[in-house]
Amino acid sequence: MRTREASRAATTTQSRAAARAGAEVASRMVAARAGRAGSASAKGAPSAQDGCAAEGQTAAQAERAATLDESGAKGIAAKECGRSGMQGCAERGDESERLETDAGFAAALRAEALKGRRGAPRKIALLMPLPFCLMGALAGGIGGGGAVGAFSTYGWNWWYALPLPIAIALIATSVANLDARQKLRPVLGLPVPPARTWWAKTAYALSLVFAANLVVLAASILVRALGGAAPGALAGFATAAMLTAANAWAVPASLALATRFGSLAGIAIPALAQLGLGIGLWTSPWWFLFPPTTALVAVSPLVGVAPSGVPLAPGDALGAFGWETAAGLFVALALFAALAAAGARWYAGREAR
């Protein structure tokens, strides 16, 4: 920024100097024309005309230079492009396009947040975890005397094993219905590409899923601060982040199904897939290939309980992180990226028709 301001200040100074030079040249032109009219000879007339022509060109150049003071950045950019070549101009054009895209995405994301400010998505994210937070607080024994596992079982495990998949489907379906119920007319009226709106919906729904997990984290920290048995803040935050990443694939799936087939499909299909695969395959040695199972197994070392809710015994294989955890999170994020990108292409085509 300082370099640009210094460049603009130098350019303004040069422009003013050029304007003064132009005024001086114009004065000399007037004097030369007066002398030529009074006492110029036939032999000296051509040279005087040539001098006046040269001075006229200089004055015109000075006047063009003086216009830089008003055109400013555009003239400077043009000169820089001329000096640095097409590559520099292309780089600045790419940066300008990127900034415009980022601004458009931010505006679309704010629009989604405003549409859902008093709607169902926020209420689901904030209210649905509360019963499990209360059960975890009671089992954790505020003030001491909590059961083994306590908040980890009744707060965290009962939350992410059963209600979380349903909450994700409900949140994503509610976000989709903000426009789907009006046959996407609000989206059609926006001066942004439909794919950008899709990504904004996906990001908004995913942020609400993370917020729902943070509600449980806040309750866990409170219970621990009051003397109850609960995971620490760092372990709890890692649990919330891993649960969001492992379950992220369900967000674009629910968005697409709810937009295309209605609310029932957007809720039932992803939720049943998560519950069925997660509960049925967590004992498989290949659990990391299935994101619903990763959501149950990967957080076990953090909360200290198995996917079934039973506290882990010392030396249990589920109590340590291994390469399977990293592989499971990678598969889950790759599936999310693939579904989100495919949904963006489908959404753009749907809007084009």
Side-chain angles (χ1 to χ4, degrees), residues 112-247:
E112 295 300 324
L114 288 174
K115 285 187 288 186
R117 181 172 56 183
R118 296 183 180 180
R122 285 192 180 184
K123 295 178 181 178
I124 295 170
L126 296 177
L127 299 179
M128 200 164 178
L130 293 182
F132 303 92
C133 295
L134 178 60
M135 288 190 294
L138 294 175
I142 295 177
V148 177
F151 195 93
S152 294
T153 297
Y154 299 100
W156 278 115
N157 182 262
W158 283 24
W159 160 247
Y160 63 70
L162 296 175
L164 179 57
I166 300 173
I168 294 173
L170 288 172
I171 289 172
T173 300
S174 299
V175 171
N177 285 339
L178 293 175
D179 295 320
R181 289 178 178 174
Q182 302 180 45
K183 298 182 179 180
L184 305 181
R185 292 190 186 94
V187 177
L188 287 170
L190 292 175
V192 296
R196 192 177 301 169
T197 302
W198 167 268
W199 284 110
K201 288 181 178 294
T202 303
Y204 178 57
L206 195 61
S207 66
L208 290 179
V209 173
F210 185 54
N213 290 320
L214 290 182
V215 172
V216 185
L217 170 62
S220 177
I221 294 174
L222 179 61
V223 169
R224 186 180 179 87
L226 295 177
L234 184 60
F237 183 81
T239 301
M242 292 176 68
L243 288 174
T244 304
N247 290 294

Side-chain angles (χ1 to χ4, degrees), residues 12 68 79-80 90 161 167 270 300 314:
T12 302
L68 281 174
K79 285 190 174 183
E80 289 179 354
S300 293

Side-chain angles (χ1 to χ4, degrees), residues 69-135:
D69 192 16
E70 190 168 342
S71 60
K74 293 183 179 180
I76 296 170
K79 285 190 174 183
E80 289 179 354
C81 289
R83 293 192 187 106
S84 60
M86 295 301 295
Q87 183 177 359
C89 294
E91 291 177 355
R92 283 187 289 275
D94 293 341
E95 182 179 0
S96 176
E97 184 177 357
R98 179 182 61 79
L99 292 175
E100 182 180 355
T101 300
D102 293 344
F105 175 78
L109 185 58
R110 285 196 300 270
E112 295 300 324
L114 288 174
K115 285 187 288 186
R117 181 172 56 183
R118 296 183 180 180
R122 285 192 180 184
K123 295 178 181 178
I124 295 170
L126 296 177
L127 299 179
M128 200 164 178
L130 293 182
F132 303 92
C133 295
L134 178 60
M135 288 190 294

